Amino acid sequence: MGHTAPKVKNKVAEAMDGILFIDEAYTLSGGKGGHDFGQEAIDTLLKEMEDKRDRLVIIVAGYPAEMRAFINSNPGLASRFAKTIEFQPYSPPELIEIFKGMLRKEDLHLAPDWPEAELTGWFSSRLTDPQFGNARTVRTIVERIREAQSLRLAQNGAGDLQTVTAEDVQEALASC
């Protein structure tokens, strides 16, 4: 209480002559009960945007439906965020490439029999789900693969620490 406006002003000052990026900005307009820190942040942000409009670019991002609600929550937001760029979700082949890249970063490689078609189908079946996290979901799958691999290696007592098996991928998908 009482700290929101100074914190917003501080972030605006840090971004001066540059860009302030606010991810999941829609969370600011979702306050329920009690003191609404989000609304205080929005009010302060609107004032700062107006006063510093020649020296500041603000980009807000989030899920499309939630962002429309955020922008429509205040007439000042709608007039200041007049340009919307909607990014399409990654395609299943792009998600597979992201998946492979994340495994490489973890110094892991896929066994020759890994179920690429199954993973591609899994991605395809979830693209219309509004809660689908795109590359964030891929990261979750990689984390679950590491867990499945660890369990498999602990049970078997032996194995290659860098190889991801079909079983590891299937276990990960079953837990997502």
Side-chain angles (χ1 to χ4, degrees):
M1 183 97 129
H3 297 283
T4 303
K7 286 181 179 184
V8 170
K9 288 179 180 182
N10 184 45
K11 285 298 172 190
V12 168
E14 287 176 27
M16 200 56 61
D17 297 318
I19 298 171
L20 175 62
F21 179 79
I22 305 171
D23 197 11
E24 298 184 11
Y26 55 84
T27 61
L28 294 173
S29 63
K32 299 200 175 28
H35 185 73
D36 191 351
F37 299 107
Q39 189 58 53
E40 184 178 354
I42 290 170
D43 294 344
T44 305
L45 191 60
L46 285 170
K47 173 83 169 104
E48 293 293 296
M49 288 171 72
E50 183 61 31
D51 293 349
K52 296 169 175 79
R53 68 183 167 277
D54 295 331
R55 296 186 56 205
L56 181 66
V57 172
I58 298 180
I59 299 171
V60 292
Y63 295 108
E66 288 86 346
M67 288 305 295
R68 281 189 290 279
F70 167 69
I71 295 297
N72 292 330
S73 73
N74 183 307
L77 291 173
S79 67
R80 286 174 181 85
F81 292 107
K83 178 87 172 151
T84 299
I85 301 170
E86 195 162 328
F87 295 94
Q88 295 304 309
Y90 291 113
S91 68
E94 290 169 323
L95 291 166
I96 293 293
E97 287 307 309
I98 291 168
F99 170 74
K100 289 176 180 178
M102 286 183 180
L103 288 178
R104 276 192 300 276
K105 275 182 135 177
E106 298 264 341
D107 205 22
L108 296 171
H109 61 269
L110 293 158
D113 67 340
W114 79 280
E116 182 171 3
E118 184 177 343
L119 183 57
T120 300
W122 190 90
F123 286 138
S124 294
S125 71
R126 280 152 178 84
L127 287 179
T128 57
D129 180 352
Q131 300 305 313
F132 181 68
N134 234 340
R136 185 178 66 243
T137 298
V138 176
R139 185 176 58 239
T140 300
I141 290 169
V142 170
E143 289 167 359
R144 301 269 172 88
I145 283 172
R146 288 292 267 182
E147 293 167 8
Q149 180 197 43
S150 295
L151 286 172
R152 177 179 51 79
L153 292 172
Q155 289 170 351
N156 295 345
D160 181 354
L161 294 173
Q162 292 178 297
T163 299
V164 171
T165 66
E167 178 186 345
D168 298 334
V169 174
Q170 290 163 337
E171 285 291 321
L173 293 180
S175 69
C176 286

